[in-house]
Amino acid sequence: MSLHPVLAAVTQRIIERSRATRATYLAQAHAAVRQGKVERAHLSCTNQAHAFAAMPDGIKIHLKESVRPNLAIVTSYNDMLSAHQPLETFPALLKDEALKAGATAQVAGGVPAMCDGVTQGFEGMELSLFSRDVIAMSTAIALSHQMFDAALYLGVCDKIVPGLLIGALSFGHLPALFVPAGPMTTGISNDDKAKVRQLFAEGKVGRDALLESESASYHGPGTCTFYGTANSNQMLMEVMGLHLPGAAFVNPNTPLREALTRHAARVAAEISAQGSRFTPICDVIDEKAIVNGIVGLLATGGSTNHTLHINAIARAAGIDINWDDFDELSAVVPLIVRAYPNGKADVNHFHAAGGMGFVIRELLDAGLLHDDVTTVMGKGLRAHTSEAWLDDGKLAWRAAPATSGDDGVLRTAAKPFSHDGGLKVLTGNIGRAVIKVSAVKAEHRVVEAPAVVFHDQNELLAAFKRGELEKDFVAVIRFQGPRANGMPELHKLTPPLGVLQERGFKVALVTDGRMSGASGKVPAAIHVSPEALLGGDIGKVQNGDLVRLDANSGELSILVDAAEWAARERAAANLDAHQHGVGRDLFAGMRQQATTAEEGAMTFAHPLWSKP
């Protein structure tokens, strides 16, 4: 199947746009490759002695030989968070299998892993986005010892995987393999969970009923089972070739999960410079892999957070993408997965219906993915159209199912749920924004209503409780961007806005903040850029202004006279309360340096992208 012309055109445009920065990145990465020796052989004897002083004698002997590859394990393990708790046992499995494969492995370092589900709606959420860049820097610190010939990255959730990948790309000469933990088993239905949340928002049930419902949903080890940012991460790692095929959605603490984890160490040894097929990550994450990631996101209805993260990942590899690339691809990429919040099913159901192998095959056969890429399995993405299974107790791969196990969850590219990817760029006199419409019903995709302006999500919640929002309106919540307060998710607003929508009111949200990957049914123009604190025109909106949000045409405008709009002054906000407490004082420098949402909300002064 030939490439779809839009896919080919967008990819070529990205290649041309990125030519200079990509060439610089590749030159730096390839120059760092150590030829003929393991990485640690270039260290002095004193340096090496420090690095293996505490290792068991058998391992120490191998490390002294300076011929076998040594694998770094960078882990986000903690036992507070269900998604990361299974990672506790992974290093021992990886070390054991590495030895069997003629390599050694060491835990090079740990990175923080915070949970947006825990911090949602509270002060800690203002650290969430910036934690991605802290993770990237922590990854670099772990690898800075120059003891390693390849790396295994253990991470799952929202900012963790993008942070690990950005950090890995700063060591572009090292091969990389991402090792997931998998989703928890299915709890109560997403519909039941959402219903109790709305009843609580309306005051019809108490906190005890809400906690019981939430505990029945988030009930064991593994990733939350809805298709939010965490599970979108796992999809990305698979479609971009950094997972073993079929690894994304296998449950923790199962024989298949252990077999996949162990095999990851063998593959990491194979793709090291001392192995049979040297594959540095700089050659895996190229322009075509980035486009494949965007296509995977669109085809599966993944999280809008990745309109930030994919951009930041691309920049770390010297690749320049923007929201127009997402928008043009979205117009031709069909939506072939319906998982909550875009449907009723969870990721376990999606995996059972055919999973990632089915999705990748369908998109390749439709000419909507690049096959001519490098992955951890070798040349070509076609290797990732298979699924993992245990053949008489041994790990094996077989072709993904030829037909969907449930066409209410997973469909072919020829008969999709929608002929577009459901992600739109909105433009107008407020600025640029993105909106995910794959979960928004057609009758809610165009809203024209008066603005009600807030500078804090809690102001909206209080107005809802006072009964002041029983009307058609567009909530404009500003001063929520990276520079203002770290760009928190505003998922806490989903239940009350959903209640108002179900009561028949026309409601929408416009914000320079973010929404959770679990949000969906209320139309939300998010990531408005420039943000209010950087002089964005969202700062000009006043209560009562007529707002038009048209997700069909891509319009986001204030319907006021152009001369009046141009003459208006922008509002100011007192952000002192967001500058300290819960560690926020430590992140002042990151807030001051953060780039725009479309540039990935990055907080480093990256030399590839520094302005003259």
Side-chain angles (χ1 to χ4, degrees), residues 335 338 341-343 422 436-441 445 519-522:
L335 180 71
R338 278 230 179 268
N342 298 333
K436 177 179 173 181
V437 294
S438 51
V440 179
K441 292 180 179 179
R445 294 185 181 183
S519 304
K521 68 181 183 179
V522 176

Side-chain angles (χ1 to χ4, degrees), residues 453-503:
V453 181
F454 303 98
H455 289 178
D456 189 285
Q457 62 181 324
N458 291 315
E459 294 174 3
L460 186 149
L461 294 172
F464 171 76
K465 290 178 181 178
R466 292 192 301 265
E468 297 172 2
L469 300 179
E470 303 283 327
K471 57 186 178 182
D472 295 350
F473 72 101
V474 174
V476 177
I477 305 184
R478 60 197 180 197
F479 295 101
Q480 305 297 308
R483 295 261 182 139
N485 63 351
M487 205 180 191
E489 286 184 349
L490 306 175
H491 182 52
K492 195 175 181 179
L493 302 179
T494 299
L497 291 175
V499 167
L500 294 167
Q501 186 182 74
E502 289 188 0
R503 290 177 182 170

Side-chain angles (χ1 to χ4, degrees), residues 361-430:
R361 186 193 65 229
E362 283 297 310
L363 295 172
L364 281 171
D365 290 350
L368 288 167
L369 284 176
H370 294 284
D371 187 26
D372 56 335
V373 292
T374 299
T375 81
V376 295
M377 303 302 289
K379 299 295 183 180
L381 189 60
R382 188 68 61 171
H384 290 258
T385 62
S386 56
E387 66 178 11
W389 68 298
L390 293 177
D391 183 7
D392 196 24
K394 294 183 179 179
L395 181 64
W397 277 271
R398 60 191 176 195
T403 58
S404 170
D406 185 343
D407 67 3
V409 176
L410 180 62
R411 291 187 183 175
T412 65
K415 295 182 179 179
F417 295 103
S418 170
H419 289 285
D420 62 71
L423 190 72
K424 294 265 193 178
V425 175
L426 303 177
T427 59
N429 56 6
I430 299 177

Side-chain angles (χ1 to χ4, degrees), residues 200-240:
F200 179 76
E202 294 177 272
K204 293 179 179 178
V205 300
R207 187 180 178 86
D208 55 343
L210 178 64
L211 184 57
E212 185 65 27
S213 170
E214 298 293 331
S215 298
S217 178
Y218 309 115
H219 64 93
T223 319
C224 306
T225 59
F226 61 83
Y227 192 53
T229 311
N231 286 316
S232 297
N233 283 339
Q234 306 315 307
M235 175 280 301
L236 277 177
M237 294 304 96
E238 203 135 320
V239 79
M240 291 169 74

Side-chain angles (χ1 to χ4, degrees), residues 35-49:
Q35 299 295 336
K37 292 183 178 182
V38 293
E39 185 84 358
R40 63 191 180 279
H42 298 268
L43 297 176
S44 74
C45 295
T46 301
N47 295 93
Q48 289 191 55

